[in-house]
Amino acid sequence: IDEVVVYDTTPAKIAGERIEDIRTNISIGKIDRVCFFSPSAVERFAEVFGDIGGKIRIAAIGSTTAQAAKQAGFDVDFISPRSGADDFARGLIEHIKNID
């Protein structure tokens, strides 16, 4: 049996000033929601921004990603039941329209 690595998840590198810019934009309400498409993205975001958990809403592409976000302490307010990008976008738009 041969093991074939199909992909490797590598954490994104973010410059310190960019991290502070994002933190500021979250704290002043300029960033309202973060969208996640994988549990590994949730993990990386939590590593960098975990202390802002209750200050921002989260949209997740499915239940596995949503569960990872909840476990990381984030407020998940939208979970797309379908995994396609178009379905995610349409669902999130409708969700946001219904909030207001």
Side-chain angles (χ1 to χ4, degrees):
I1 296 175
D2 293 330
E3 180 179 333
V4 178
V5 177
V6 179
Y7 72 91
D8 185 30
T9 302
T10 304
K13 294 181 178 142
I14 307 168
E17 62 272 4
R18 186 65 181 137
I19 292 171
E20 288 310 310
D21 184 42
I22 293 168
R23 283 184 187 284
T24 298
N25 286 322
I26 289 170
S27 69
I28 64 173
K30 198 170 183 181
I31 297 175
D32 178 64
R33 180 177 282 105
V34 176
C35 301
F36 289 115
F37 298 89
S38 71
S40 61
V42 171
E43 291 169 10
R44 181 63 178 145
F45 189 86
E47 286 175 14
V48 178
F49 300 103
D51 59 328
I52 58 111
K55 298 177 184 172
I56 192 160
R57 291 178 284 186
I58 302 297
I61 193 100
S63 59
T64 301
T65 301
Q67 186 60 33
K70 289 175 186 176
Q71 288 176 343
F74 296 117
D75 176 22
V76 179
D77 78 325
F78 174 76
I79 303 169
S80 178
R82 303 188 70 175
S83 61
D86 289 341
D87 292 322
F88 178 86
R90 276 192 292 277
L92 182 56
I93 289 167
E94 284 304 309
H95 175 74
I96 292 170
K97 283 181 183 178
N98 291 327
I99 290 174
D100 298 333

